Amino acid sequence: MQKIIIIISLLSFQFGISQTVRNEFESKQPQDLNVPPPPNITFPAQYPTGNKKFIEEIKANIDRTGLETNKTYKAKIILKIENDGEVLNISTYGSDENFNNELKKTIQNITQQKKWTAGKNKQGENVIDIVALPIEIKRK
């Protein structure tokens, strides 16, 4: 009899825990059906000569006069590329605001005259894409 009571209490405990977990998932915000999901990008957007060359071009053209010597600057560059290859938005995130501003100016100058290769979905159609690139510049 004691074994049956232990088994029943274990099963009821397990059932109670599983209900709590399921309710936590159900309590999240529902998906708004009016907002389409983001497109699946099969081929991400690319700089005409490649994203590595883009970073090298930034490093070669950035004005280092306002940067401290013997310091390494790190940031993340986020670009929104239109489906025709035009850069819509440039954001820079790093710990040094002066470096972020100089980085943004340099990117604007570089991308002003060049179009990117737009991202493509599975059907081969051009789509808007977000490109995130890390950058590290050492000032000697």
Side-chain angles (χ1 to χ4, degrees):
M1 181 70 173
Q2 193 176 17
K3 291 180 181 178
I4 294 174
I5 293 173
I6 292 173
I7 292 173
I8 291 173
S9 59
L10 286 174
L11 290 174
S12 63
F13 179 74
Q14 182 181 5
F15 181 74
I17 295 295
S18 66
Q19 291 298 317
T20 305
V21 172
R22 186 176 62 161
N23 288 339
E24 285 179 21
F25 288 116
E26 290 175 355
S27 68
K28 291 185 178 178
Q29 292 181 352
Q31 175 68 32
D32 184 0
L33 299 177
N34 293 329
V35 178
N40 290 332
I41 307 293
T42 304
F43 302 102
Q46 291 285 319
Y47 190 66
T49 55
N51 291 352
K52 285 185 181 181
K53 293 287 185 186
F54 177 63
I55 295 295
E56 289 173 12
E57 199 170 328
I58 293 170
K59 289 179 179 181
N61 291 314
I62 194 163
D63 182 12
R64 298 171 191 247
T65 56
L67 304 179
E68 296 178 30
T69 56
N70 297 325
K71 186 172 179 182
T72 300
Y73 294 90
K74 295 180 182 181
K76 187 172 191 176
I77 302 165
I78 299 179
L79 305 167
K80 184 174 183 181
I81 310 297
E82 179 66 77
N83 58 3
D84 66 355
E86 183 180 336
V87 177
L88 291 177
N89 191 17
I90 301 168
S91 300
T92 55
Y93 300 97
S95 59
D96 189 293
E97 196 61 36
N98 291 333
F99 176 66
N100 291 340
N101 293 335
E102 193 58 45
L103 188 59
K104 193 170 183 176
K105 279 194 276 184
T106 304
I107 294 169
Q108 286 171 338
N109 290 338
I110 291 171
T111 59
Q112 190 174 22
Q113 315 243 333
K114 295 183 182 175
K115 289 208 176 217
W116 286 56
T117 303
K120 296 185 185 296
N121 61 14
K122 289 180 182 178
Q123 293 77 24
E125 301 165 333
N126 289 355
V127 292
I128 294 175
D129 193 10
I130 305 292
V131 176
L133 301 168
I135 188 166
E136 182 176 315
I137 294 179
K138 297 177 184 176
R139 174 97 200 283
K140 297 179 181 181

